[in-house]
Amino acid sequence: MKNYTQNLVPFACIFAGFFREKRKVTFQFFTFLLLFSSISVHAQLSSGTFEDLKSAFHNAPKGSTAALNAANMYLAKAKEVNEVRRIVAGYELFISYHSHTPKAVSYTDSIILLTKNTKLETYQAEGYLLKGIQLYYNSQYNDALTNFATANDMALATKNIRQQISIKHYIGLLKNVSEEREEALKIFQENIDFIRKNNFEKKNPEQYLKSLFALANSYNKNRVLDSAEVVNQRGIKASLQHPNQYLYPWFLTSYGVTSYYKENYNSGIDSLLKATKFLKNNEKALCSNYLYIYRCLEKQGKNDAGINYLYKVDSIYQQKPKVIFQAREAYEFLNREYKAANNPEKQLATIEKLLAVDESITDEYQNLGKEIVQKYDTHLMISETAVLLNQKEELIHQLQDKNFLSQKKVTVLIIISILFLLIIFYFFRRNVVYKRRFKILMQTYDQKKLEKENAQKETTTSIEKEIVVSSAQKESIGLPKEIVAPILVKLKKFEDTHRYTKKNYTLTKLAKELDTNSTYLSKIINMTKGMNFAKYMNEIRIDYAITRLKEDKRFRSYTIKAIAQEVGFNNAQSFSIAFHKKTGINPSYFLKQLENQKQVLTT
């Protein structure tokens, strides 16, 4: 590629010479020169060997148009000569170009489809291996595991050591995802020993560096910190000696993590910040770095500076859901910070994010550990059948011991289950009844509200039409209409002005306010309202509470105690008893249903 691009140099020199001599060069002429040069480069690439095209791809900037052109020409040339191994190599270039994206997965499928029903098991195994790797980096762990298991069977059959090492490496990474850290460490230690034993350090330096980094990372996870530090230093040195400084930022990150656990916080922050400069396009690694930078700053008492890195993780998660595990950790830290800062609003928002993340994690990842055992552990060790059989026997015995229950335990379990089912049935039935009562209550409320609005639209101002006392009622009360009607008018005004929300209202006190005596007032309330004074006060207060809760969003945020005091009750208990007696449901359930109803309406 370097030789081809040298064609541009003479034209650039001519153009610069024209400027020095202050000659006029037209834009069209210069464009023609560039176009001619580009065509020349393209022609030379097209006529180049497969090795030339592969070199052009690897020498071009990552993700550049030049790299894509080289990959396209390589694949086209491979299809032209119709060589399967060349076509597979062409697809591998595209996998590298689109690495860690769903598009890369589609190219691995092309390799699998191309080699299907052929005797080219090495290439077919490579297809499944590459697919597993790309699925792993797209956080599709269960699908990745399935493809690694398939690739492993083929690699064992063909005795392909390189593929077995790579598969084992990624199985170790999956063990880390499922928190089986000690098993993962054992896998990485065995991989490094196997690589050295077979002189793979020089044969495949990239795989050696990947395994070395995985070992350092696993030492960190298992808190074997001195070993982690030694391996990190070895990895940094080896990666710097590699032509492309392969995995250098990853070893910096791992060294920063080791420094954190060894309480060398300044050294940790320095290594992590250096690493982030290289990891801008790797969101998972970037988020992990931000989390450890926060940890270091938090240990130094610089929480405000550390929180900014948690915000960065949250921002990335909103765009890239694959960083879900890092996001959950960031939310845990933020929740703790907001709690310490006594900031309930932000704490509540963070808890809601935590719950949403937990639900996603439970749905996607809860069975990963079990699947690793089922799909891979039967071929975990490289070509060590005896060890495999021993592990299988141990696993069978463990399962038998775990599933064994005595007759007494079974009986107790059945009793507990029956009690549990009865409790569930009770709460289910109560919930159904409460929902029905809530619905009736809302219908009654809406009906009363409509009647009140219609009454306000009537033009008559006659008090006698608003308050009607039947002849039978007058006879029962034993009082003339001239006495009853004014008291009812005043009683209605008492209700309309919500004076009953004051505490400690007695019959005598209200009678005095209405310019009558307690005997008259008691008789009038009994006959016109159909209840005694105490029940009457509770009823109108509960009606008022229902109206306020239905219409006032702020009022719904009050505690039960605050609501009780606001509508005239002395304490939460008396309010709850009166509320349940009138409505058949508890005020807390009523509030919850109102909130659910509002959320449904807003969505």
Side-chain angles (χ1 to χ4, degrees), residues 294-319:
Y294 162 79
R295 288 186 178 97
C296 290
L297 290 169
E298 189 263 341
K299 289 292 184 180
Q300 293 178 320
K302 301 175 182 177
N303 296 55
D304 290 341
I307 286 175
N308 291 326
Y309 289 95
L310 301 180
Y311 291 154
K312 289 182 179 182
V313 176
D314 179 38
S315 178
I316 292 173
Y317 175 61
Q318 302 308 318
Q319 303 297 323

mmCIF file of all heavy atoms in Angstrom, residues 294-319:
data_model
loop_
_atom_site.group_PDB
_atom_site.id
_atom_site.type_symbol
_atom_site.label_atom_id
_atom_site.label_comp_id
_atom_site.label_asym_id
_atom_site.label_seq_id
_atom_site.Cartn_x
_atom_site.Cartn_y
_atom_site.Cartn_z
ATOM 1 N N TYR A 294 -13.768 6.146 39.408
ATOM 2 C CA TYR A 294 -14.650 6.591 40.491
ATOM 3 C C TYR A 294 -14.227 5.968 41.818
ATOM 4 O O TYR A 294 -14.160 6.645 42.841
ATOM 5 C CB TYR A 294 -16.104 6.220 40.188
ATOM 6 C CG TYR A 294 -16.977 6.243 41.429
ATOM 7 C CD1 TYR A 294 -17.462 7.442 41.943
ATOM 8 C CD2 TYR A 294 -17.264 5.067 42.125
ATOM 9 C CE1 TYR A 294 -18.221 7.482 43.098
ATOM 10 C CE2 TYR A 294 -18.021 5.096 43.278
ATOM 11 C CZ TYR A 294 -18.497 6.309 43.767
ATOM 12 O OH TYR A 294 -19.230 6.333 44.921
ATOM 13 N N ARG A 295 -13.963 4.655 41.789
ATOM 14 C CA ARG A 295 -13.584 3.972 43.029
ATOM 15 C C ARG A 295 -12.330 4.600 43.645
ATOM 16 O O ARG A 295 -12.267 4.804 44.866
ATOM 17 C CB ARG A 295 -13.327 2.490 42.758
ATOM 18 C CG ARG A 295 -14.571 1.668 42.478
ATOM 19 C CD ARG A 295 -14.169 0.202 42.380
ATOM 20 N NE ARG A 295 -15.304 -0.673 42.156
ATOM 21 C CZ ARG A 295 -15.676 -1.128 40.962
ATOM 22 N NH1 ARG A 295 -15.000 -0.754 39.889
ATOM 23 N NH2 ARG A 295 -16.716 -1.934 40.836
ATOM 24 N N CYS A 296 -11.346 4.857 42.797
ATOM 25 C CA CYS A 296 -10.103 5.464 43.295
ATOM 26 C C CYS A 296 -10.364 6.841 43.908
ATOM 27 O O CYS A 296 -9.873 7.158 44.998
ATOM 28 C CB CYS A 296 -9.080 5.582 42.162
ATOM 29 S SG CYS A 296 -8.410 4.003 41.590
ATOM 30 N N LEU A 297 -11.149 7.656 43.205
ATOM 31 C CA LEU A 297 -11.443 9.006 43.703
ATOM 32 C C LEU A 297 -12.276 8.948 44.979
ATOM 33 O O LEU A 297 -12.073 9.745 45.899
ATOM 34 C CB LEU A 297 -12.179 9.795 42.622
ATOM 35 C CG LEU A 297 -11.337 10.174 41.395
ATOM 36 C CD1 LEU A 297 -12.225 10.707 40.272
ATOM 37 C CD2 LEU A 297 -10.284 11.217 41.767
ATOM 38 N N GLU A 298 -13.210 7.997 45.034
ATOM 39 C CA GLU A 298 -14.045 7.857 46.228
ATOM 40 C C GLU A 298 -13.198 7.473 47.446
ATOM 41 O O GLU A 298 -13.420 7.976 48.552
ATOM 42 C CB GLU A 298 -15.121 6.793 45.958
ATOM 43 C CG GLU A 298 -16.202 6.699 47.026
ATOM 44 C CD GLU A 298 -15.930 5.606 48.032
ATOM 45 O OE1 GLU A 298 -15.122 4.710 47.714
ATOM 46 O OE2 GLU A 298 -16.511 5.659 49.131
ATOM 47 N N LYS A 299 -12.218 6.613 47.248
ATOM 48 C CA LYS A 299 -11.326 6.225 48.337
ATOM 49 C C LYS A 299 -10.476 7.399 48.811
ATOM 50 O O LYS A 299 -10.070 7.447 49.973
ATOM 51 C CB LYS A 299 -10.419 5.070 47.898
ATOM 52 C CG LYS A 299 -11.130 3.740 47.725
ATOM 53 C CD LYS A 299 -11.617 3.183 49.057
ATOM 54 C CE LYS A 299 -12.236 1.812 48.905
ATOM 55 N NZ LYS A 299 -12.721 1.269 50.197
ATOM 56 N N GLN A 300 -10.240 8.346 47.922
ATOM 57 C CA GLN A 300 -9.469 9.539 48.286
ATOM 58 C C GLN A 300 -10.355 10.653 48.830
ATOM 59 O O GLN A 300 -9.877 11.744 49.112
ATOM 60 C CB GLN A 300 -8.692 10.048 47.061
ATOM 61 C CG GLN A 300 -7.596 9.109 46.596
ATOM 62 C CD GLN A 300 -6.882 9.614 45.355
ATOM 63 O OE1 GLN A 300 -7.511 10.152 44.437
ATOM 64 N NE2 GLN A 300 -5.577 9.441 45.312
ATOM 65 N N GLY A 301 -11.664 10.376 48.950
ATOM 66 C CA GLY A 301 -12.592 11.389 49.462
ATOM 67 C C GLY A 301 -12.998 12.421 48.433
ATOM 68 O O GLY A 301 -13.550 13.463 48.775
ATOM 69 N N LYS A 302 -12.751 12.140 47.149
ATOM 70 C CA LYS A 302 -13.085 13.089 46.075
ATOM 71 C C LYS A 302 -14.349 12.621 45.351
ATOM 72 O O LYS A 302 -14.367 12.417 44.134
ATOM 73 C CB LYS A 302 -11.911 13.201 45.100
ATOM 74 C CG LYS A 302 -10.613 13.657 45.748
ATOM 75 C CD LYS A 302 -9.450 13.630 44.760
ATOM 76 C CE LYS A 302 -8.146 14.030 45.428
ATOM 77 N NZ LYS A 302 -6.995 13.949 44.493
ATOM 78 N N ASN A 303 -15.420 12.482 46.126
ATOM 79 C CA ASN A 303 -16.660 11.909 45.598
ATOM 80 C C ASN A 303 -17.270 12.740 44.485
ATOM 81 O O ASN A 303 -17.772 12.198 43.490
ATOM 82 C CB ASN A 303 -17.682 11.729 46.726
ATOM 83 C CG ASN A 303 -17.226 10.727 47.758
ATOM 84 O OD1 ASN A 303 -16.145 10.865 48.320
ATOM 85 N ND2 ASN A 303 -18.030 9.713 48.030
ATOM 86 N N ASP A 304 -17.243 14.070 44.647
ATOM 87 C CA ASP A 304 -17.860 14.930 43.629
ATOM 88 C C ASP A 304 -17.187 14.746 42.273
ATOM 89 O O ASP A 304 -17.860 14.708 41.230
ATOM 90 C CB ASP A 304 -17.776 16.398 44.068
ATOM 91 C CG ASP A 304 -18.687 16.693 45.243
ATOM 92 O OD1 ASP A 304 -19.622 15.891 45.467
ATOM 93 O OD2 ASP A 304 -18.462 17.695 45.947
ATOM 94 N N ALA A 305 -15.871 14.630 42.277
ATOM 95 C CA ALA A 305 -15.149 14.402 41.018
ATOM 96 C C ALA A 305 -15.460 13.008 40.481
ATOM 97 O O ALA A 305 -15.614 12.812 39.263
ATOM 98 C CB ALA A 305 -13.644 14.565 41.235
ATOM 99 N N GLY A 306 -15.591 12.035 41.375
ATOM 100 C CA GLY A 306 -15.865 10.664 40.958
ATOM 101 C C GLY A 306 -17.238 10.485 40.344
ATOM 102 O O GLY A 306 -17.406 9.712 39.396
ATOM 103 N N ILE A 307 -18.239 11.211 40.865
ATOM 104 C CA ILE A 307 -19.613 11.073 40.361
ATOM 105 C C ILE A 307 -19.698 11.409 38.875
ATOM 106 O O ILE A 307 -20.496 10.832 38.135
ATOM 107 C CB ILE A 307 -20.575 11.962 41.185
ATOM 108 C CG1 ILE A 307 -20.806 11.329 42.564
ATOM 109 C CG2 ILE A 307 -21.911 12.136 40.486
ATOM 110 C CD1 ILE A 307 -21.632 12.163 43.496
ATOM 111 N N ASN A 308 -18.869 12.325 38.421
ATOM 112 C CA ASN A 308 -18.881 12.693 36.999
ATOM 113 C C ASN A 308 -18.605 11.482 36.106
ATOM 114 O O ASN A 308 -19.149 11.373 34.999
ATOM 115 C CB ASN A 308 -17.848 13.784 36.725
ATOM 116 C CG ASN A 308 -18.242 15.114 37.349
ATOM 117 O OD1 ASN A 308 -19.428 15.437 37.426
ATOM 118 N ND2 ASN A 308 -17.280 15.874 37.813
ATOM 119 N N TYR A 309 -17.769 10.569 36.575
ATOM 120 C CA TYR A 309 -17.480 9.362 35.790
ATOM 121 C C TYR A 309 -18.664 8.398 35.804
ATOM 122 O O TYR A 309 -18.867 7.646 34.842
ATOM 123 C CB TYR A 309 -16.211 8.689 36.317
ATOM 124 C CG TYR A 309 -14.959 9.496 35.993
ATOM 125 C CD1 TYR A 309 -14.427 10.394 36.915
ATOM 126 C CD2 TYR A 309 -14.346 9.387 34.752
ATOM 127 C CE1 TYR A 309 -13.304 11.155 36.613
ATOM 128 C CE2 TYR A 309 -13.221 10.136 34.439
ATOM 129 C CZ TYR A 309 -12.705 11.012 35.375
ATOM 130 O OH TYR A 309 -11.602 11.767 35.060
ATOM 131 N N LEU A 310 -19.452 8.401 36.877
ATOM 132 C CA LEU A 310 -20.667 7.584 36.913
ATOM 133 C C LEU A 310 -21.704 8.126 35.928
ATOM 134 O O LEU A 310 -22.418 7.360 35.277
ATOM 135 C CB LEU A 310 -21.251 7.559 38.327
ATOM 136 C CG LEU A 310 -20.340 7.010 39.427
ATOM 137 C CD1 LEU A 310 -21.062 7.047 40.776
ATOM 138 C CD2 LEU A 310 -19.888 5.589 39.108
ATOM 139 N N TYR A 311 -21.775 9.454 35.828
ATOM 140 C CA TYR A 311 -22.679 10.067 34.846
ATOM 141 C C TYR A 311 -22.288 9.654 33.422
ATOM 142 O O TYR A 311 -23.143 9.450 32.552
ATOM 143 C CB TYR A 311 -22.637 11.586 34.952
ATOM 144 C CG TYR A 311 -23.250 12.149 36.215
ATOM 145 C CD1 TYR A 311 -22.837 13.388 36.722
ATOM 146 C CD2 TYR A 311 -24.229 11.461 36.911
ATOM 147 C CE1 TYR A 311 -23.391 13.916 37.883
ATOM 148 C CE2 TYR A 311 -24.787 11.971 38.063
ATOM 149 C CZ TYR A 311 -24.362 13.201 38.546
ATOM 150 O OH TYR A 311 -24.914 13.720 39.687
ATOM 151 N N LYS A 312 -20.993 9.540 33.178
ATOM 152 C CA LYS A 312 -20.524 9.148 31.849
ATOM 153 C C LYS A 312 -20.980 7.724 31.517
ATOM 154 O O LYS A 312 -21.379 7.441 30.381
ATOM 155 C CB LYS A 312 -18.995 9.243 31.781
ATOM 156 C CG LYS A 312 -18.463 10.667 31.792
ATOM 157 C CD LYS A 312 -16.940 10.690 31.669
ATOM 158 C CE LYS A 312 -16.423 12.124 31.661
ATOM 159 N NZ LYS A 312 -14.953 12.182 31.487
ATOM 160 N N VAL A 313 -20.928 6.842 32.503
ATOM 161 C CA VAL A 313 -21.394 5.469 32.294
ATOM 162 C C VAL A 313 -22.891 5.460 31.968
ATOM 163 O O VAL A 313 -23.328 4.780 31.039
ATOM 164 C CB VAL A 313 -21.112 4.589 33.533
ATOM 165 C CG1 VAL A 313 -21.688 3.189 33.332
ATOM 166 C CG2 VAL A 313 -19.619 4.515 33.817
ATOM 167 N N ASP A 314 -23.665 6.226 32.721
ATOM 168 C CA ASP A 314 -25.111 6.316 32.478
ATOM 169 C C ASP A 314 -25.392 6.831 31.071
ATOM 170 O O ASP A 314 -26.252 6.313 30.364
ATOM 171 C CB ASP A 314 -25.741 7.240 33.525
ATOM 172 C CG ASP A 314 -27.249 7.398 33.315
ATOM 173 O OD1 ASP A 314 -27.901 6.410 32.954
ATOM 174 O OD2 ASP A 314 -27.755 8.518 33.514
ATOM 175 N N SER A 315 -24.642 7.848 30.659
ATOM 176 C CA SER A 315 -24.831 8.430 29.324
ATOM 177 C C SER A 315 -24.545 7.409 28.223
ATOM 178 O O SER A 315 -25.281 7.315 27.239
ATOM 179 C CB SER A 315 -23.907 9.649 29.168
ATOM 180 O OG SER A 315 -24.037 10.212 27.884
ATOM 181 N N ILE A 316 -23.488 6.625 28.399
ATOM 182 C CA ILE A 316 -23.148 5.604 27.398
ATOM 183 C C ILE A 316 -24.220 4.523 27.363
ATOM 184 O O ILE A 316 -24.616 4.049 26.292
ATOM 185 C CB ILE A 316 -21.761 4.996 27.706
ATOM 186 C CG1 ILE A 316 -20.663 6.051 27.489
ATOM 187 C CG2 ILE A 316 -21.490 3.777 26.827
ATOM 188 C CD1 ILE A 316 -19.287 5.607 27.928
ATOM 189 N N TYR A 317 -24.734 4.128 28.539
ATOM 190 C CA TYR A 317 -25.749 3.073 28.595
ATOM 191 C C TYR A 317 -27.023 3.474 27.856
ATOM 192 O O TYR A 317 -27.683 2.617 27.241
ATOM 193 C CB TYR A 317 -26.078 2.736 30.053
ATOM 194 C CG TYR A 317 -27.203 1.743 30.210
ATOM 195 C CD1 TYR A 317 -27.100 0.461 29.688
ATOM 196 C CD2 TYR A 317 -28.382 2.084 30.876
ATOM 197 C CE1 TYR A 317 -28.129 -0.461 29.823
ATOM 198 C CE2 TYR A 317 -29.412 1.170 31.006
ATOM 199 C CZ TYR A 317 -29.275 -0.095 30.490
ATOM 200 O OH TYR A 317 -30.301 -0.999 30.611
ATOM 201 N N GLN A 318 -27.386 4.741 27.902
ATOM 202 C CA GLN A 318 -28.589 5.194 27.200
ATOM 203 C C GLN A 318 -28.466 4.976 25.691
ATOM 204 O O GLN A 318 -29.466 4.779 25.000
ATOM 205 C CB GLN A 318 -28.856 6.683 27.489
ATOM 206 C CG GLN A 318 -29.014 7.029 28.956
ATOM 207 C CD GLN A 318 -30.019 6.166 29.677
ATOM 208 O OE1 GLN A 318 -31.089 5.879 29.136
ATOM 209 N NE2 GLN A 318 -29.681 5.733 30.882
ATOM 210 N N GLN A 319 -27.224 5.004 25.182
ATOM 211 C CA GLN A 319 -26.995 4.809 23.749
ATOM 212 C C GLN A 319 -26.596 3.378 23.413
ATOM 213 O O GLN A 319 -26.884 2.886 22.328
ATOM 214 C CB GLN A 319 -25.872 5.765 23.282
ATOM 215 C CG GLN A 319 -26.137 7.236 23.559
ATOM 216 C CD GLN A 319 -27.348 7.766 22.819
ATOM 217 O OE1 GLN A 319 -27.597 7.385 21.672
ATOM 218 N NE2 GLN A 319 -28.109 8.636 23.463
#
